[in-house]
């Protein structure tokens, strides 16, 4: 009886995992992509950063995408608190449909409060994020992106950012 059950399980599992789509490929209607991401960062003096970044892109080729990304970020530490809104272009290059490298330029509008001196001010700052990561397919044309970006314009003593390194999680539909 054991041999029959094991044989049946192997036949059933083989037929389930060996199904192939036959026919004409599905035509893609649009080269537009939509998605977004969230970011989380930590730094010295109890610094914490939480951000959300919706995005709209256009596939220039099967592996190259460019578009516009917006962002909103909340940062806090023992010494400061800030809210930032940003917007800018991005470009991503995908390879092996499992990995990507990208660049993202953001111009931020910053509302900053120094907790120690009780001083408030508004400023603007630029960021150029470079990095990449891994993509996991979660649907026919949808992916989850896990990556690390580094702000190459970050300056420790003059930037409102707590760190230059930003881990991120994002989702893209339309690739």
């Amino acid at each position: 009886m054991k041999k029959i059950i094991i044989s049946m399980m192997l036949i059933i599992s083989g037929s389930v995992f060996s199904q192939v789509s036959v026919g004409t490929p599905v035509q893609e209607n649009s080269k537009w992509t939509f998605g977004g991401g969230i970011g989380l960062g930590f730094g010295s003096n109890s610094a914490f950063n939480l951000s959300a970044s919706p995005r709209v892109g256009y596939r220039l080729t099967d592996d190259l995408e460019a578009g516009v990304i917006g962002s909103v970020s909340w940062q806090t530490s023992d010494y400061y608190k800030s809210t930032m809104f940003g917007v800018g272009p991005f470009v991503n290059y995908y390879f092996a449909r499992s990995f990507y490298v990208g660049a993202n330029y953001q111009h931020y509008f910053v509302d900053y409060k120094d907790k120690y001196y009780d001083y408030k001010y508004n400023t603007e700052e630029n960021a150029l994020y470079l990095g990449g990561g891994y993509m996991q397919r979660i649907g026919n044309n949808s992916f989850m992106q896990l990556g690390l970006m580094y702000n190459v314009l970050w300056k420790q003593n003059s930037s409102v950012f707590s760190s230059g390194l930003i881990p991120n999680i994002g989702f893209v539909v339309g690739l």
Side-chain angles (χ1 to χ4, degrees):
M1 186 67 167
K2 249 186 188 180
K3 290 181 182 181
I4 293 173
I5 293 173
I6 292 173
S7 298
M8 291 299 288
M9 294 300 279
L10 287 173
I11 290 170
I12 291 170
S13 66
S15 66
V16 168
F17 290 111
S18 64
Q19 294 182 13
V20 177
S21 175
V22 178
T24 60
V26 175
Q27 295 293 323
E28 296 181 22
N29 294 332
S30 176
K31 291 187 173 228
W32 291 98
T33 63
F34 302 93
I38 57 174
L40 186 64
F42 299 93
S44 60
N45 300 315
S46 302
F48 176 74
N49 174 13
L50 180 63
S51 62
S53 302
R55 70 198 256 330
V56 175
Y58 187 80
R59 288 184 298 127
L60 302 171
T61 68
D62 284 341
D63 297 327
L64 184 63
E65 172 193 27
V68 176
I69 189 166
S71 64
V72 64
S73 177
W74 176 71
Q75 297 181 13
T76 186
S77 80
D78 293 338
Y79 301 105
Y80 68 91
K81 181 170 117 176
S82 72
T83 304
M84 291 186 262
F85 299 96
V87 65
F90 76 91
V91 63
N92 286 332
Y93 180 76
Y94 303 100
F95 53 96
R97 273 302 193 209
S98 294
F99 301 96
Y100 70 97
V101 293
N104 172 4
Y105 176 80
Q106 291 278 310
H107 181 78
Y108 287 100
F109 302 92
V110 182
D111 178 28
Y112 181 88
K113 178 183 179 185
D114 187 309
K115 294 178 182 178
Y116 188 75
Y117 294 107
D118 195 31
Y119 175 74
K120 296 179 185 181
Y121 72 93
N122 294 322
T123 189
E124 297 178 19
E125 186 163 337
N126 295 313
L128 177 58
Y129 296 103
L130 302 177
Y134 172 75
M135 293 187 351
Q136 175 65 50
R137 182 180 295 271
I138 57 174
N140 288 339
N141 63 347
S142 303
F143 292 86
M144 178 175 67
Q145 295 177 320
L146 303 169
L148 286 173
M149 302 293 274
Y150 184 76
N151 179 3
V152 296
L153 302 178
W154 180 73
K155 296 179 181 146
Q156 184 174 1
N157 296 326
S158 63
S159 179
V160 296
F161 296 104
S162 62
S163 173
L165 187 63
I166 304 293
N168 57 42
I169 300 171
F171 297 93
V172 180
V173 176
L175 288 180

mmCIF file of all heavy atoms in Angstrom, residues 84-126:
data_model
loop_
_atom_site.group_PDB
_atom_site.id
_atom_site.type_symbol
_atom_site.label_atom_id
_atom_site.label_comp_id
_atom_site.label_asym_id
_atom_site.label_seq_id
_atom_site.Cartn_x
_atom_site.Cartn_y
_atom_site.Cartn_z
ATOM 1 N N MET A 84 10.386 65.263 5.339
ATOM 2 C CA MET A 84 10.909 65.612 4.019
ATOM 3 C C MET A 84 9.964 65.132 2.923
ATOM 4 O O MET A 84 9.406 64.048 3.023
ATOM 5 C CB MET A 84 12.267 64.945 3.796
ATOM 6 C CG MET A 84 13.351 65.506 4.648
ATOM 7 S SD MET A 84 14.929 64.796 4.198
ATOM 8 C CE MET A 84 15.061 63.549 5.452
ATOM 9 N N PHE A 85 9.837 65.968 1.910
ATOM 10 C CA PHE A 85 9.124 65.612 0.697
ATOM 11 C C PHE A 85 10.105 65.758 -0.449
ATOM 12 O O PHE A 85 10.827 66.745 -0.512
ATOM 13 C CB PHE A 85 7.915 66.527 0.484
ATOM 14 C CG PHE A 85 6.911 66.429 1.596
ATOM 15 C CD1 PHE A 85 6.923 67.342 2.635
ATOM 16 C CD2 PHE A 85 5.967 65.413 1.603
ATOM 17 C CE1 PHE A 85 6.015 67.251 3.670
ATOM 18 C CE2 PHE A 85 5.048 65.312 2.636
ATOM 19 C CZ PHE A 85 5.070 66.236 3.671
ATOM 20 N N GLY A 86 10.133 64.780 -1.332
ATOM 21 C CA GLY A 86 11.081 64.842 -2.435
ATOM 22 C C GLY A 86 10.484 64.349 -3.735
ATOM 23 O O GLY A 86 9.475 63.642 -3.755
ATOM 24 N N VAL A 87 11.137 64.729 -4.817
ATOM 25 C CA VAL A 87 10.734 64.287 -6.141
ATOM 26 C C VAL A 87 11.960 64.267 -7.037
ATOM 27 O O VAL A 87 12.891 65.062 -6.840
ATOM 28 C CB VAL A 87 9.628 65.195 -6.729
ATOM 29 C CG1 VAL A 87 10.130 66.592 -6.977
ATOM 30 C CG2 VAL A 87 9.010 64.584 -7.961
ATOM 31 N N GLY A 88 11.971 63.348 -8.002
ATOM 32 C CA GLY A 88 13.098 63.307 -8.924
ATOM 33 C C GLY A 88 13.028 62.112 -9.855
ATOM 34 O O GLY A 88 12.176 61.234 -9.717
ATOM 35 N N PRO A 89 13.945 62.059 -10.809
ATOM 36 C CA PRO A 89 13.988 60.961 -11.776
ATOM 37 C C PRO A 89 14.718 59.745 -11.223
ATOM 38 O O PRO A 89 15.513 59.845 -10.289
ATOM 39 C CB PRO A 89 14.770 61.576 -12.942
ATOM 40 C CG PRO A 89 15.686 62.545 -12.285
ATOM 41 C CD PRO A 89 14.914 63.110 -11.121
ATOM 42 N N PHE A 90 14.430 58.595 -11.828
ATOM 43 C CA PHE A 90 15.167 57.377 -11.501
ATOM 44 C C PHE A 90 15.413 56.585 -12.772
ATOM 45 O O PHE A 90 14.731 56.773 -13.786
ATOM 46 C CB PHE A 90 14.416 56.512 -10.478
ATOM 47 C CG PHE A 90 13.248 55.759 -11.053
ATOM 48 C CD1 PHE A 90 13.412 54.475 -11.565
ATOM 49 C CD2 PHE A 90 11.984 56.317 -11.085
ATOM 50 C CE1 PHE A 90 12.335 53.781 -12.105
ATOM 51 C CE2 PHE A 90 10.908 55.631 -11.616
ATOM 52 C CZ PHE A 90 11.085 54.354 -12.125
ATOM 53 N N VAL A 91 16.379 55.694 -12.718
ATOM 54 C CA VAL A 91 16.654 54.759 -13.798
ATOM 55 C C VAL A 91 17.075 53.433 -13.166
ATOM 56 O O VAL A 91 17.812 53.416 -12.176
ATOM 57 C CB VAL A 91 17.726 55.294 -14.780
ATOM 58 C CG1 VAL A 91 19.061 55.496 -14.101
ATOM 59 C CG2 VAL A 91 17.851 54.408 -15.991
ATOM 60 N N ASN A 92 16.540 52.339 -13.686
ATOM 61 C CA ASN A 92 16.890 50.998 -13.219
ATOM 62 C C ASN A 92 17.268 50.136 -14.408
ATOM 63 O O ASN A 92 16.622 50.196 -15.464
ATOM 64 C CB ASN A 92 15.712 50.319 -12.502
ATOM 65 C CG ASN A 92 15.472 50.877 -11.128
ATOM 66 O OD1 ASN A 92 16.384 51.361 -10.479
ATOM 67 N ND2 ASN A 92 14.232 50.823 -10.684
ATOM 68 N N TYR A 93 18.297 49.319 -14.227
ATOM 69 C CA TYR A 93 18.679 48.333 -15.225
ATOM 70 C C TYR A 93 18.501 46.957 -14.595
ATOM 71 O O TYR A 93 19.026 46.686 -13.518
ATOM 72 C CB TYR A 93 20.134 48.524 -15.676
ATOM 73 C CG TYR A 93 20.534 47.506 -16.704
ATOM 74 C CD1 TYR A 93 20.099 47.629 -18.021
ATOM 75 C CD2 TYR A 93 21.303 46.404 -16.360
ATOM 76 C CE1 TYR A 93 20.447 46.685 -18.975
ATOM 77 C CE2 TYR A 93 21.651 45.457 -17.306
ATOM 78 C CZ TYR A 93 21.213 45.598 -18.604
ATOM 79 O OH TYR A 93 21.541 44.668 -19.537
ATOM 80 N N TYR A 94 17.754 46.101 -15.270
ATOM 81 C CA TYR A 94 17.455 44.764 -14.769
ATOM 82 C C TYR A 94 18.271 43.739 -15.536
ATOM 83 O O TYR A 94 18.390 43.817 -16.756
ATOM 84 C CB TYR A 94 15.960 44.465 -14.953
ATOM 85 C CG TYR A 94 15.086 45.480 -14.269
ATOM 86 C CD1 TYR A 94 14.499 46.519 -14.984
ATOM 87 C CD2 TYR A 94 14.876 45.419 -12.903
ATOM 88 C CE1 TYR A 94 13.716 47.463 -14.348
ATOM 89 C CE2 TYR A 94 14.090 46.358 -12.255
ATOM 90 C CZ TYR A 94 13.511 47.377 -12.988
ATOM 91 O OH TYR A 94 12.750 48.310 -12.356
ATOM 92 N N PHE A 95 18.829 42.770 -14.806
ATOM 93 C CA PHE A 95 19.552 41.703 -15.474
ATOM 94 C C PHE A 95 19.194 40.367 -14.838
ATOM 95 O O PHE A 95 18.920 40.294 -13.644
ATOM 96 C CB PHE A 95 21.077 41.937 -15.487
ATOM 97 C CG PHE A 95 21.685 42.206 -14.160
ATOM 98 C CD1 PHE A 95 22.274 41.192 -13.424
ATOM 99 C CD2 PHE A 95 21.683 43.494 -13.620
ATOM 100 C CE1 PHE A 95 22.845 41.446 -12.190
ATOM 101 C CE2 PHE A 95 22.258 43.749 -12.391
ATOM 102 C CZ PHE A 95 22.836 42.719 -11.678
ATOM 103 N N ALA A 96 19.127 39.363 -15.683
ATOM 104 C CA ALA A 96 18.767 37.993 -15.297
ATOM 105 C C ALA A 96 17.388 37.944 -14.647
ATOM 106 O O ALA A 96 17.076 37.003 -13.945
ATOM 107 C CB ALA A 96 19.827 37.384 -14.383
ATOM 108 N N ARG A 97 16.586 38.962 -14.814
ATOM 109 C CA ARG A 97 15.230 39.086 -14.265
ATOM 110 C C ARG A 97 15.167 38.760 -12.765
ATOM 111 O O ARG A 97 14.124 38.492 -12.217
ATOM 112 C CB ARG A 97 14.254 38.182 -14.996
ATOM 113 C CG ARG A 97 13.657 38.795 -16.210
ATOM 114 C CD ARG A 97 12.948 40.072 -15.837
ATOM 115 N NE ARG A 97 12.101 40.530 -16.934
ATOM 116 C CZ ARG A 97 11.833 41.782 -17.140
ATOM 117 N NH1 ARG A 97 12.327 42.702 -16.377
ATOM 118 N NH2 ARG A 97 11.070 42.135 -18.114
ATOM 119 N N SER A 98 16.330 38.793 -12.115
ATOM 120 C CA SER A 98 16.373 38.567 -10.672
ATOM 121 C C SER A 98 17.134 39.659 -9.932
ATOM 122 O O SER A 98 17.097 39.698 -8.712
ATOM 123 C CB SER A 98 17.025 37.220 -10.355
ATOM 124 O OG SER A 98 16.221 36.172 -10.826
ATOM 125 N N PHE A 99 17.851 40.514 -10.668
ATOM 126 C CA PHE A 99 18.676 41.531 -10.024
ATOM 127 C C PHE A 99 18.515 42.867 -10.750
ATOM 128 O O PHE A 99 18.136 42.907 -11.917
ATOM 129 C CB PHE A 99 20.155 41.117 -10.042
ATOM 130 C CG PHE A 99 20.397 39.815 -9.339
ATOM 131 C CD1 PHE A 99 20.462 38.638 -10.054
ATOM 132 C CD2 PHE A 99 20.536 39.777 -7.962
ATOM 133 C CE1 PHE A 99 20.664 37.428 -9.413
ATOM 134 C CE2 PHE A 99 20.743 38.576 -7.306
ATOM 135 C CZ PHE A 99 20.808 37.396 -8.035
ATOM 136 N N TYR A 100 18.831 43.942 -10.056
ATOM 137 C CA TYR A 100 18.768 45.263 -10.667
ATOM 138 C C TYR A 100 19.829 46.168 -10.069
ATOM 139 O O TYR A 100 20.285 45.966 -8.947
ATOM 140 C CB TYR A 100 17.384 45.899 -10.487
ATOM 141 C CG TYR A 100 17.071 46.298 -9.064
ATOM 142 C CD1 TYR A 100 17.264 47.601 -8.625
ATOM 143 C CD2 TYR A 100 16.590 45.376 -8.154
ATOM 144 C CE1 TYR A 100 16.982 47.965 -7.324
ATOM 145 C CE2 TYR A 100 16.304 45.738 -6.851
ATOM 146 C CZ TYR A 100 16.503 47.027 -6.444
ATOM 147 O OH TYR A 100 16.233 47.383 -5.144
ATOM 148 N N VAL A 101 20.230 47.168 -10.834
ATOM 149 C CA VAL A 101 21.057 48.269 -10.359
ATOM 150 C C VAL A 101 20.318 49.539 -10.752
ATOM 151 O O VAL A 101 19.591 49.562 -11.749
ATOM 152 C CB VAL A 101 22.496 48.260 -10.933
ATOM 153 C CG1 VAL A 101 23.270 47.068 -10.417
ATOM 154 C CG2 VAL A 101 22.484 48.279 -12.445
ATOM 155 N N GLY A 102 20.491 50.580 -9.953
ATOM 156 C CA GLY A 102 19.740 51.783 -10.255
ATOM 157 C C GLY A 102 20.348 53.037 -9.693
ATOM 158 O O GLY A 102 21.255 53.014 -8.853
ATOM 159 N N ALA A 103 19.814 54.147 -10.169
ATOM 160 C CA ALA A 103 20.182 55.476 -9.690
ATOM 161 C C ALA A 103 18.894 56.265 -9.505
ATOM 162 O O ALA A 103 17.934 56.099 -10.255
ATOM 163 C CB ALA A 103 21.091 56.179 -10.692
ATOM 164 N N ASN A 104 18.895 57.113 -8.491
ATOM 165 C CA ASN A 104 17.702 57.881 -8.147
ATOM 166 C C ASN A 104 18.160 59.238 -7.618
ATOM 167 O O ASN A 104 18.840 59.307 -6.603
ATOM 168 C CB ASN A 104 16.920 57.101 -7.089
ATOM 169 C CG ASN A 104 15.766 57.856 -6.501
ATOM 170 O OD1 ASN A 104 15.446 58.970 -6.913
ATOM 171 N ND2 ASN A 104 15.148 57.265 -5.508
ATOM 172 N N TYR A 105 17.806 60.296 -8.321
ATOM 173 C CA TYR A 105 18.116 61.651 -7.866
ATOM 174 C C TYR A 105 16.866 62.233 -7.217
ATOM 175 O O TYR A 105 15.777 62.161 -7.776
ATOM 176 C CB TYR A 105 18.550 62.532 -9.042
ATOM 177 C CG TYR A 105 18.785 63.961 -8.647
ATOM 178 C CD1 TYR A 105 19.972 64.340 -8.045
ATOM 179 C CD2 TYR A 105 17.810 64.928 -8.840
ATOM 180 C CE1 TYR A 105 20.188 65.650 -7.661
ATOM 181 C CE2 TYR A 105 18.013 66.235 -8.462
ATOM 182 C CZ TYR A 105 19.209 66.589 -7.861
ATOM 183 O OH TYR A 105 19.414 67.882 -7.477
ATOM 184 N N GLN A 106 17.020 62.797 -6.031
ATOM 185 C CA GLN A 106 15.888 63.398 -5.319
ATOM 186 C C GLN A 106 16.232 64.817 -4.891
ATOM 187 O O GLN A 106 17.346 65.069 -4.421
ATOM 188 C CB GLN A 106 15.569 62.597 -4.044
ATOM 189 C CG GLN A 106 14.998 61.236 -4.295
ATOM 190 C CD GLN A 106 13.516 61.282 -4.555
ATOM 191 O OE1 GLN A 106 12.759 61.879 -3.810
ATOM 192 N NE2 GLN A 106 13.101 60.640 -5.626
ATOM 193 N N HIS A 107 15.279 65.708 -5.066
ATOM 194 C CA HIS A 107 15.390 67.052 -4.511
ATOM 195 C C HIS A 107 14.387 67.109 -3.357
ATOM 196 O O HIS A 107 13.187 66.940 -3.562
ATOM 197 C CB HIS A 107 15.073 68.129 -5.547
ATOM 198 C CG HIS A 107 15.215 69.503 -4.998
ATOM 199 N ND1 HIS A 107 16.450 70.106 -4.837
ATOM 200 C CD2 HIS A 107 14.303 70.386 -4.533
ATOM 201 C CE1 HIS A 107 16.274 71.304 -4.315
ATOM 202 N NE2 HIS A 107 14.973 71.500 -4.117
ATOM 203 N N TYR A 108 14.896 67.308 -2.140
ATOM 204 C CA TYR A 108 14.074 67.277 -0.931
ATOM 205 C C TYR A 108 13.750 68.676 -0.424
ATOM 206 O O TYR A 108 14.596 69.572 -0.463
ATOM 207 C CB TYR A 108 14.806 66.528 0.200
ATOM 208 C CG TYR A 108 14.855 65.049 0.001
ATOM 209 C CD1 TYR A 108 16.005 64.442 -0.501
ATOM 210 C CD2 TYR A 108 13.778 64.250 0.324
ATOM 211 C CE1 TYR A 108 16.058 63.077 -0.669
ATOM 212 C CE2 TYR A 108 13.823 62.888 0.164
ATOM 213 C CZ TYR A 108 14.968 62.295 -0.329
ATOM 214 O OH TYR A 108 15.029 60.942 -0.502
ATOM 215 N N PHE A 109 12.548 68.795 0.083
ATOM 216 C CA PHE A 109 12.104 69.971 0.822
ATOM 217 C C PHE A 109 11.983 69.518 2.276
ATOM 218 O O PHE A 109 11.225 68.592 2.571
ATOM 219 C CB PHE A 109 10.766 70.478 0.276
ATOM 220 C CG PHE A 109 10.840 70.822 -1.183
ATOM 221 C CD1 PHE A 109 10.518 69.882 -2.153
ATOM 222 C CD2 PHE A 109 11.260 72.080 -1.578
ATOM 223 C CE1 PHE A 109 10.602 70.184 -3.498
ATOM 224 C CE2 PHE A 109 11.347 72.402 -2.924
ATOM 225 C CZ PHE A 109 11.014 71.452 -3.881
ATOM 226 N N VAL A 110 12.715 70.168 3.158
ATOM 227 C CA VAL A 110 12.889 69.668 4.515
ATOM 228 C C VAL A 110 12.335 70.648 5.543
ATOM 229 O O VAL A 110 12.641 71.839 5.501
ATOM 230 C CB VAL A 110 14.387 69.410 4.811
ATOM 231 C CG1 VAL A 110 14.579 68.843 6.191
ATOM 232 C CG2 VAL A 110 15.002 68.509 3.757
ATOM 233 N N ASP A 111 11.542 70.132 6.463
ATOM 234 C CA ASP A 111 11.080 70.860 7.639
ATOM 235 C C ASP A 111 11.821 70.257 8.822
ATOM 236 O O ASP A 111 11.609 69.092 9.160
ATOM 237 C CB ASP A 111 9.561 70.697 7.793
ATOM 238 C CG ASP A 111 9.026 71.396 9.018
ATOM 239 O OD1 ASP A 111 9.634 72.390 9.458
ATOM 240 O OD2 ASP A 111 7.985 70.933 9.552
ATOM 241 N N TYR A 112 12.691 71.012 9.439
ATOM 242 C CA TYR A 112 13.635 70.498 10.435
ATOM 243 C C TYR A 112 13.443 71.185 11.776
ATOM 244 O O TYR A 112 13.236 72.397 11.835
ATOM 245 C CB TYR A 112 15.061 70.732 9.918
ATOM 246 C CG TYR A 112 16.159 70.235 10.806
ATOM 247 C CD1 TYR A 112 16.617 68.931 10.702
ATOM 248 C CD2 TYR A 112 16.756 71.076 11.729
ATOM 249 C CE1 TYR A 112 17.645 68.476 11.512
ATOM 250 C CE2 TYR A 112 17.776 70.629 12.541
ATOM 251 C CZ TYR A 112 18.222 69.328 12.426
ATOM 252 O OH TYR A 112 19.235 68.875 13.220
ATOM 253 N N LYS A 113 13.535 70.404 12.847
ATOM 254 C CA LYS A 113 13.484 70.967 14.198
ATOM 255 C C LYS A 113 14.622 70.382 15.016
ATOM 256 O O LYS A 113 14.747 69.169 15.143
ATOM 257 C CB LYS A 113 12.159 70.638 14.876
ATOM 258 C CG LYS A 113 12.108 71.164 16.300
ATOM 259 C CD LYS A 113 10.828 70.785 17.015
ATOM 260 C CE LYS A 113 10.900 71.331 18.437
ATOM 261 N NZ LYS A 113 9.766 70.905 19.234
ATOM 262 N N ASP A 114 15.438 71.262 15.558
ATOM 263 C CA ASP A 114 16.511 70.865 16.463
ATOM 264 C C ASP A 114 15.920 70.791 17.865
ATOM 265 O O ASP A 114 15.485 71.805 18.417
ATOM 266 C CB ASP A 114 17.653 71.883 16.400
ATOM 267 C CG ASP A 114 18.862 71.427 17.180
ATOM 268 O OD1 ASP A 114 18.711 71.051 18.354
ATOM 269 O OD2 ASP A 114 19.964 71.455 16.604
ATOM 270 N N LYS A 115 15.881 69.592 18.452
ATOM 271 C CA LYS A 115 15.267 69.399 19.764
ATOM 272 C C LYS A 115 16.109 69.982 20.896
ATOM 273 O O LYS A 115 15.573 70.457 21.889
ATOM 274 C CB LYS A 115 15.044 67.905 20.028
ATOM 275 C CG LYS A 115 14.034 67.264 19.125
ATOM 276 C CD LYS A 115 13.931 65.786 19.444
ATOM 277 C CE LYS A 115 12.969 65.071 18.549
ATOM 278 N NZ LYS A 115 12.925 63.629 18.859
ATOM 279 N N TYR A 116 17.413 69.958 20.738
ATOM 280 C CA TYR A 116 18.304 70.404 21.806
ATOM 281 C C TYR A 116 18.230 71.920 22.006
ATOM 282 O O TYR A 116 18.137 72.403 23.119
ATOM 283 C CB TYR A 116 19.735 69.965 21.479
ATOM 284 C CG TYR A 116 20.710 70.206 22.593
ATOM 285 C CD1 TYR A 116 20.718 69.393 23.726
ATOM 286 C CD2 TYR A 116 21.638 71.231 22.505
ATOM 287 C CE1 TYR A 116 21.619 69.613 24.741
ATOM 288 C CE2 TYR A 116 22.548 71.456 23.520
ATOM 289 C CZ TYR A 116 22.531 70.642 24.636
ATOM 290 O OH TYR A 116 23.425 70.871 25.650
ATOM 291 N N TYR A 117 18.263 72.679 20.912
ATOM 292 C CA TYR A 117 18.235 74.144 20.988
ATOM 293 C C TYR A 117 16.853 74.734 20.721
ATOM 294 O O TYR A 117 16.700 75.947 20.709
ATOM 295 C CB TYR A 117 19.229 74.747 19.984
ATOM 296 C CG TYR A 117 20.662 74.425 20.323
ATOM 297 C CD1 TYR A 117 21.372 73.507 19.564
ATOM 298 C CD2 TYR A 117 21.292 75.036 21.400
ATOM 299 C CE1 TYR A 117 22.696 73.203 19.872
ATOM 300 C CE2 TYR A 117 22.607 74.731 21.710
ATOM 301 C CZ TYR A 117 23.296 73.824 20.950
ATOM 302 O OH TYR A 117 24.591 73.534 21.248
ATOM 303 N N ASP A 118 15.863 73.894 20.486
ATOM 304 C CA ASP A 118 14.508 74.326 20.159
ATOM 305 C C ASP A 118 14.524 75.323 18.995
ATOM 306 O O ASP A 118 13.954 76.400 19.058
ATOM 307 C CB ASP A 118 13.803 74.914 21.386
ATOM 308 C CG ASP A 118 12.308 75.028 21.165
ATOM 309 O OD1 ASP A 118 11.752 74.203 20.424
ATOM 310 O OD2 ASP A 118 11.699 75.968 21.714
ATOM 311 N N TYR A 119 15.198 74.917 17.929
ATOM 312 C CA TYR A 119 15.363 75.756 16.742
ATOM 313 C C TYR A 119 14.698 75.063 15.560
ATOM 314 O O TYR A 119 14.892 73.862 15.330
ATOM 315 C CB TYR A 119 16.858 75.958 16.478
ATOM 316 C CG TYR A 119 17.167 76.698 15.220
ATOM 317 C CD1 TYR A 119 16.953 78.065 15.130
ATOM 318 C CD2 TYR A 119 17.689 76.039 14.114
ATOM 319 C CE1 TYR A 119 17.238 78.752 13.964
ATOM 320 C CE2 TYR A 119 17.986 76.719 12.951
ATOM 321 C CZ TYR A 119 17.752 78.069 12.882
ATOM 322 O OH TYR A 119 18.034 78.750 11.725
ATOM 323 N N LYS A 120 13.912 75.794 14.766
ATOM 324 C CA LYS A 120 13.231 75.252 13.598
ATOM 325 C C LYS A 120 13.689 75.986 12.338
ATOM 326 O O LYS A 120 13.911 77.185 12.376
ATOM 327 C CB LYS A 120 11.719 75.419 13.721
ATOM 328 C CG LYS A 120 11.105 74.663 14.858
ATOM 329 C CD LYS A 120 9.607 74.930 14.899
ATOM 330 C CE LYS A 120 8.985 74.288 16.104
ATOM 331 N NZ LYS A 120 7.536 74.503 16.155
ATOM 332 N N TYR A 121 13.788 75.235 11.232
ATOM 333 C CA TYR A 121 14.037 75.873 9.951
ATOM 334 C C TYR A 121 13.608 74.960 8.812
ATOM 335 O O TYR A 121 13.455 73.757 8.984
ATOM 336 C CB TYR A 121 15.489 76.303 9.787
ATOM 337 C CG TYR A 121 16.493 75.191 9.582
ATOM 338 C CD1 TYR A 121 16.860 74.788 8.306
ATOM 339 C CD2 TYR A 121 17.096 74.560 10.660
ATOM 340 C CE1 TYR A 121 17.795 73.796 8.111
ATOM 341 C CE2 TYR A 121 18.019 73.555 10.477
ATOM 342 C CZ TYR A 121 18.363 73.186 9.205
ATOM 343 O OH TYR A 121 19.271 72.185 9.011
ATOM 344 N N ASN A 122 13.423 75.576 7.653
ATOM 345 C CA ASN A 122 13.102 74.854 6.425
ATOM 346 C C ASN A 122 14.292 74.987 5.487
ATOM 347 O O ASN A 122 14.908 76.050 5.404
ATOM 348 C CB ASN A 122 11.860 75.438 5.759
ATOM 349 C CG ASN A 122 10.631 75.236 6.605
ATOM 350 O OD1 ASN A 122 10.468 74.199 7.231
ATOM 351 N ND2 ASN A 122 9.759 76.229 6.642
ATOM 352 N N THR A 123 14.590 73.910 4.778
ATOM 353 C CA THR A 123 15.719 73.916 3.855
ATOM 354 C C THR A 123 15.431 72.970 2.694
ATOM 355 O O THR A 123 14.396 72.305 2.678
ATOM 356 C CB THR A 123 17.028 73.523 4.575
ATOM 357 O OG1 THR A 123 18.130 73.731 3.697
ATOM 358 C CG2 THR A 123 16.999 72.091 5.051
ATOM 359 N N GLU A 124 16.343 72.930 1.763
ATOM 360 C CA GLU A 124 16.269 72.002 0.641
ATOM 361 C C GLU A 124 17.600 71.278 0.543
ATOM 362 O O GLU A 124 18.645 71.830 0.882
ATOM 363 C CB GLU A 124 15.974 72.741 -0.660
ATOM 364 C CG GLU A 124 14.635 73.442 -0.654
ATOM 365 C CD GLU A 124 14.355 74.217 -1.929
ATOM 366 O OE1 GLU A 124 15.011 73.928 -2.959
ATOM 367 O OE2 GLU A 124 13.481 75.090 -1.891
ATOM 368 N N GLU A 125 17.544 70.012 0.102
ATOM 369 C CA GLU A 125 18.773 69.230 -0.039
ATOM 370 C C GLU A 125 18.620 68.246 -1.187
ATOM 371 O O GLU A 125 17.530 67.741 -1.438
ATOM 372 C CB GLU A 125 19.089 68.477 1.257
ATOM 373 C CG GLU A 125 20.425 67.788 1.196
ATOM 374 C CD GLU A 125 20.953 67.381 2.556
ATOM 375 O OE1 GLU A 125 20.552 67.968 3.562
ATOM 376 O OE2 GLU A 125 21.787 66.475 2.590
ATOM 377 N N ASN A 126 19.734 67.982 -1.877
ATOM 378 C CA ASN A 126 19.753 67.026 -2.977
ATOM 379 C C ASN A 126 20.363 65.711 -2.527
ATOM 380 O O ASN A 126 21.244 65.689 -1.663
ATOM 381 C CB ASN A 126 20.558 67.583 -4.146
ATOM 382 C CG ASN A 126 19.908 68.807 -4.732
ATOM 383 O OD1 ASN A 126 18.718 68.817 -4.986
ATOM 384 N ND2 ASN A 126 20.692 69.864 -4.919
#
